[in-house]
Amino acid sequence: MLKCLQRISSVHKPEISLKPKCLDLQRTLNREAHRTSSYEIPNLILRRGQTFDMSIIFDRVFSEQDDTITLQFVTGRKPMQSKGTVISVRKVRELQPGTWGYQITGVDEKKVSVKVCTSASAIVGKYQLFVDTIHKLKDGASQKCRYCHPDDIFVIFNPWCQADSVYLEEETNREEYVLNETGRIWMGTVGRFCVRPWNFAQFDDVCLMAALSMMEKSELGDPARGNPLLVVKALSRVINNNERDGGVLIGNWSGKYDDGVSPYAWNGSASILEEFLKKRKGVKYGQCWTFSAIATTVFRTLGIPTRCITNFRSAHDSDYSIQIDNFWTPEGRPRKMMDDTIWDFHVWNESWFRRPDLPDGYDGWQAFDPTPQECYEGVFTCGPCPVLAIRNGDLYLGYDTKFLFAEVNGDRVFWIVDSEGNMEPVYKDYDIVGKFMSTKAVNTISRDDVTSKYKQESDSIEKPEVIAKANKFSGRTDVVIRKPSAADVEFSVNGDVQKSGDIDIELKMANTSEEPRIVDVYMIAVATKYTAVPLTELKDSNSTNVLEPCKESVSSMSLKATEYMSTLDADSHVSLYIMATVKETSQVYIKREIYRVEQPNLELKTEGSAMVGKPFDVIVKLVNPLSVPLTSGSICMEGPGMVKPSSVKIKKSIGPNEEIRETIQVKPRRAGRREIIASFQCKQLCNVTGVVEIDVMNEPQSKN
């Protein structure tokens, strides 16, 4: 009865404008619905194309008949409706999925509840939200009011929304490539993989802010920021720091890192991005896997499904000829500084999105490489190009498809170069690059081999057709190799690195003819970077071997760890070059083999329970398997949702077969199941890693 009297009495009051007093964005419920609860930034973070609920409190009772509400979402440096950076969202009868609009879901006097839908192609970034009201007066005039919500709203890509161009169908894939905060990056060599755990930490507070800062640095136009193709292309360029563009991370392959952090000392992306945000200049230092890991973090934090891809034996062929040239002297010595390089491994990225700019069939995984590359077109980052285009040799599509195609396809041609510079091709290794292409498998820590997604099988019918198609864009013709009068000596190389670090190598030679053969063999062991850049010659040998008819012989070389470990950088290994020439037939055999010391295990164990805000202990154990001491060692540790990374310097050297134990404290910021990642590096070894999982609990609420 009292309410009725109040309404009757209000008829006699003068009409007043409708003033919004405050907004309830229902952050907790909306963040859960949008799968953004894990972001440490407390603001409302929305995945575009999806509805969210909020309520508006006005200074008086709301009238649907006389009052109109318009929501204004404003983004960009110079907001303009014509540029799509000012979006007026009006009430609609029925919300259309992936289209701007709102519905009133309830009115309770001064409180109005609304359901809002954002566009599936909305610009990604930071928004201001305004509430505009119009009250219609009886004389036809109107009164307007505007309210600006004080907190920014963030809108990101949405792989759960079918209308979004980054839509990914399988839930397990979305959990892996968008939500998983840690992962694995494959490194090492063919035959001896090394797995590097990585803390992508895409929900840490610095990561979203860094991604948006990079968007500003890229100078990508505001309307383009809703297009994943343009976002990936622009931000992958900003990830690497160069004199022209600046950027997040400075590449360094020199082995000299004293004025920064060595690339293999990082365990995660957040500390790199935090330093970038603080100093606003390139962070020292990174290599291919760190560039790739930063890209994975940045694009996952923006909602684009992204993963790291490792290509073992990755060609760096500056003219895209899919021919890797190596050079030797007539005396059998390698001319290493002239060579095209084949990196032991190279890590790039894939992101998942549609390609409406290309003919049908190229949606899905798009490959791009944020590591700065040197080629005849200058220094650049490449992609994103469809993985299917690389597989099919569709180089005409652009987006640097030719560069990535050349990294995974190619034959290695060995040339003899005389003193006057004349060259003769003498030997060819077929299909030598693009091996064991690896990424982390969904829901496990095992390796998923994706080689068949990038290239045809070597013995397939399609392979020659694809290469022929690609060759049209390279301008190179096939090289004709000089044929020997006979190829009747069979060669094979056997070698291994012992746990102690000692290396034993054998070249076996089998004479299959009925006549004796004389074989000259030259071997040289060289300290080499994973990028195939030679450093120091360690040991060489010459031998002349007489092979009786249908008999075998062996030429061998041994390297003790004590002979070479002191001259090796922690991130380099031993390359063995072999050239064998049969005098009677001019048959030539050339081989390059790589030998890496096997990494020891870093064992991690937690003590006590883990509570948010309370430190707990992680015990790290390491045994030195080498026959030389490990010096200048340190252990770094971190995990997603943990307070800043912890590190411990090992004060003394670690002798052969000696065990050390260190206790490191870690303090969690967020609850949930977490991986703690640790790495050990010293003068002799790097990329020695370990992982332990732990459940972090919220502290129990005290009962009054």
Side-chain angles (χ1 to χ4, degrees):
M1 182 68 180
L2 181 61
K3 285 185 179 179
C4 291
L5 290 171
Q6 286 174 341
R7 287 187 190 128
I8 291 167
S9 64
S10 70
V11 173
H12 303 291
K13 292 181 181 178
E15 294 184 281
I16 57 172
S17 58
L18 183 69
K19 294 180 181 178
K21 292 177 67 179
C22 64
L23 260 66
D24 179 4
L25 294 178
Q26 302 179 31
R27 282 185 300 185
T28 301
L29 290 174
N30 285 321
R31 282 165 63 108
E32 285 179 5
H34 285 248
R35 299 170 183 83
T36 58
S37 297
S38 297
Y39 284 85
E40 291 180 349
I41 293 174
N43 300 57
L44 179 59
I45 301 173
L46 302 171
R47 297 193 186 274
R48 65 183 191 176
Q50 187 173 335
T51 61
F52 70 97
D53 296 300
M54 69 178 195
S55 54
I56 311 167
I57 308 297
F58 294 102
D59 64 337
R60 64 165 174 81
V61 173
F62 173 75
S63 166
E64 285 201 62
Q65 183 178 346
D66 298 325
D67 297 323
T68 302
I69 303 170
T70 301
L71 306 177
Q72 292 266 18
F73 288 82
V74 178
T75 188
R77 291 157 290 188
K78 294 180 180 179
M80 298 172 63
Q81 281 186 314
S82 61
K83 300 294 185 185
T85 49
V86 175
I87 303 101
S88 296
V89 182
R90 294 180 170 80
K91 187 175 77 168
V92 294
R93 276 187 171 183
E94 187 177 343
L95 290 175
Q96 300 296 320
T99 303
W100 287 106
Y102 81 84
Q103 277 185 317
I104 294 177
T105 56
V107 177
D108 183 8
E109 295 191 341
K110 297 178 182 180
K111 177 182 176 181
V112 178
S113 299
V114 299
K115 185 180 288 291
V116 185
C117 189
T118 59
S119 169
S121 58
I123 293 168
V124 166
K126 183 169 62 176
Y127 283 78
Q128 279 188 297
L129 173 57
F130 297 87
V131 179
D132 293 339
T133 64
I134 300 176
H135 175 65
K136 246 191 278 178
L137 301 173
K138 289 180 179 172
D139 61 3
S142 61
Q143 294 176 327
K144 298 179 180 180
C145 280
R146 163 165 281 199
Y147 170 84
C148 176
H149 186 63
D151 297 332
D152 292 325
I153 294 172
F154 297 92
V155 175
I156 60 176
F157 293 99
N158 190 357
W160 282 266
C161 174
Q162 290 190 17
D164 196 315
S165 52
V166 302
Y167 173 68
L168 188 57
E169 191 169 351
E170 295 290 333
E171 177 63 20
T172 53
N173 288 344
R174 294 190 288 249
E175 289 173 356
E176 181 66 51
Y177 303 128
V178 182
L179 301 181
N180 199 345
E181 294 180 75
T182 57
R184 301 293 185 273
I185 302 172
W186 269 259
M187 302 163 68
T189 62
V190 170
R192 181 154 284 180
F193 299 150
C194 164
V195 184
R196 187 72 200 252
W198 193 267
N199 177 25
F200 294 120
Q202 67 265 37
F203 302 128
D204 280 20
D205 51 7
V206 298
C207 294
L208 181 57
M209 301 314 297
L212 297 178
S213 174
M214 290 164 63
M215 202 107 76
E216 293 299 318
K217 192 171 186 62
S218 75
E219 299 183 352
L220 185 65
D222 294 326
R225 297 182 185 189
N227 184 331
L229 167 66
L230 300 178
V231 169
V232 167
K233 189 172 180 63
L235 266 62
S236 63
R237 190 178 68 244
V238 174
I239 286 167
N240 76 79
N241 183 286
N242 59 62
E243 293 178 2
R244 185 186 60 198
D245 299 322
V248 174
L249 195 59
I250 299 171
N252 185 345
W253 285 264
S254 70
K256 295 176 174 57
Y257 314 118
D258 291 342
D259 60 338
V261 177
S262 63
Y264 47 80
W266 304 106
N267 286 329
S269 303
S271 48
I272 296 172
L273 293 172
E274 183 175 18
E275 186 175 335
F276 168 70
L277 280 180
K278 283 180 179 177
K279 297 182 178 178
R280 297 291 171 174
K281 63 180 183 179
V283 178
K284 299 176 180 179
Y285 289 107
Q287 292 179 2
C288 67
W289 70 90
T290 29
F291 288 110
S292 174
I294 291 293
T296 300
T297 296
V298 166
F299 295 124
R300 284 187 186 181
T301 201
L302 291 175
I304 302 174
T306 304
R307 62 188 187 182
C308 300
I309 300 291
T310 301
N311 177 36
F312 286 99
R313 288 193 192 147
S314 188
H316 281 245
D317 174 18
S318 60
D319 61 1
Y320 321 123
S321 64
I322 61 174
Q323 175 181 298
I324 302 97
D325 296 315
N326 285 186
F327 303 93
W328 296 67
T329 68
E331 295 74 35
R333 274 57 168 175
R335 300 187 66 168
K336 301 177 289 294
M337 301 311 293
M338 292 177 63
D339 292 349
D340 288 339
T341 58
I342 299 177
W343 290 20
D344 296 346
F345 70 91
H346 182 47
V347 187
W348 61 71
N349 293 88
E350 291 176 358
S351 287
W352 180 280
F353 49 87
R354 298 187 191 114
R355 293 300 299 265
D357 59 312
L358 297 178
D360 291 344
Y362 293 107
D363 296 344
W365 289 116
Q366 311 293 319
F368 63 97
D369 192 349
T371 300
Q373 306 286 347
E374 291 187 18
C375 68
Y376 74 87
E377 294 177 1
V379 178
F380 77 120
T381 53
C382 67
C385 66
V387 172
L388 183 62
I390 300 169
R391 187 177 193 272
N392 292 343
D394 295 332
L395 276 55
Y396 62 89
L397 291 174
Y399 294 97
D400 312 306
T401 308
K402 59 185 179 180
F403 191 91
L404 284 160
F405 183 88
E407 288 195 275
V408 301
N409 292 281
D411 304 327
R412 178 161 53 191
V413 177
F414 296 94
W415 302 73
I416 297 293
V417 186
D418 65 21
S419 58
E420 295 179 354
N422 299 310
M423 299 181 182
E424 181 184 14
V426 295
Y427 191 78
K428 182 184 278 192
D429 272 338
Y430 291 92
D431 196 24
I432 194 69
V433 298
K435 303 298 180 183
F436 300 101
M437 301 184 69
S438 306
T439 191
K440 179 185 173 297
V442 174
N443 284 341
T444 77
I445 59 171
S446 59
R447 186 180 74 90
D448 184 12
D449 194 302
V450 295
T451 311
S452 63
K453 304 294 184 185
Y454 276 84
K455 56 192 295 188
Q456 312 282 346
E457 294 291 336
S458 296
D459 56 355
S460 68
I461 299 172
E462 296 85 4
K463 179 79 172 183
E465 297 173 358
V466 169
I467 296 298
K469 189 201 301 186
N471 275 336
K472 294 177 183 177
F473 297 89
S474 72
R476 290 282 290 265
T477 57
D478 197 22
V479 171
V480 178
I481 303 299
R482 178 189 71 191
K483 289 186 177 181
S485 59
D488 47 23
V489 178
E490 295 177 351
F491 297 92
S492 63
V493 178
N494 296 312
D496 201 8
V497 184
Q498 308 301 319
K499 284 195 173 181
S500 64
D502 295 347
I503 304 173
D504 297 307
I505 303 146
E506 286 186 343
L507 173 64
K508 290 187 177 179
M509 299 163 280
N511 181 6
T512 64
S513 76
E514 300 296 327
E515 299 175 6
R517 294 287 184 249
I518 298 174
V519 183
D520 289 327
V521 176
Y522 178 73
M523 296 186 185
I524 183 169
V526 181
T528 311
K529 292 289 188 183
Y530 85 94
T531 56
V533 174
L535 300 172
T536 308
E537 294 185 356
L538 302 172
K539 190 175 186 178
D540 68 345
S541 70
N542 268 311
S543 65
T544 299
N545 303 267
V546 179
L547 278 66
E548 297 299 332
C550 301
K551 296 293 183 181
E552 296 183 356
S553 182
V554 171
S555 183
S556 60
M557 176 185 282
S558 293
L559 270 175
K560 298 291 184 187
T562 51
E563 291 182 273
Y564 73 90
M565 288 296 290
S566 61
T567 61
L568 228 60
D569 291 335
D571 56 352
S572 59
H573 58 262
V574 175
S575 290
L576 180 72
Y577 294 83
I578 301 173
M579 184 171 183
T581 306
V582 182
K583 281 190 175 181
E584 292 82 2
T585 63
S586 299
Q587 179 185 352
V588 175
Y589 174 80
I590 299 176
K591 196 73 173 175
R592 176 178 175 255
E593 292 287 342
I594 298 161
Y595 298 97
R596 290 182 64 90
V597 172
E598 186 175 351
Q599 310 290 6
N601 292 323
L602 200 61
E603 295 182 22
L604 273 60
K605 182 183 176 184
T606 59
E607 290 214 336
S609 58
M611 293 280 182
V612 171
K614 293 191 173 181
F616 65 94
D617 290 340
V618 181
I619 299 170
V620 182
K621 186 178 90 169
L622 172 71
V623 177
N624 175 14
L626 301 180
S627 58
V628 296
L630 304 180
T631 57
S632 304
S634 63
I635 297 171
C636 299
M637 182 177 293
E638 69 173 88
M642 301 291 164
V643 175
K644 65 182 182 179
S646 306
S647 63
V648 170
K649 286 188 183 287
I650 311 299
K651 295 177 181 176
K652 65 182 187 70
S653 63
I654 308 168
N657 298 313
E658 183 182 349
E659 176 183 300
I660 62 155
R661 290 174 184 257
E662 293 287 343
T663 300
I664 299 176
Q665 279 203 333
V666 181
K667 186 173 13 172
R669 292 194 304 251
R670 288 188 274 127
R673 189 157 186 80
R674 304 283 174 225
E675 278 192 323
I676 308 297
I677 298 168
S679 64
F680 169 81
Q681 48 274 328
C682 64
K683 191 175 183 302
Q684 294 75 23
L685 293 174
C686 64
N687 294 319
V688 178
T689 60
V691 176
V692 66
E693 280 193 322
I694 189 165
D695 289 309
V696 179
M697 312 298 291
N698 284 311
E699 191 173 2
Q701 298 291 323
S702 59
K703 295 181 181 179
N704 296 327

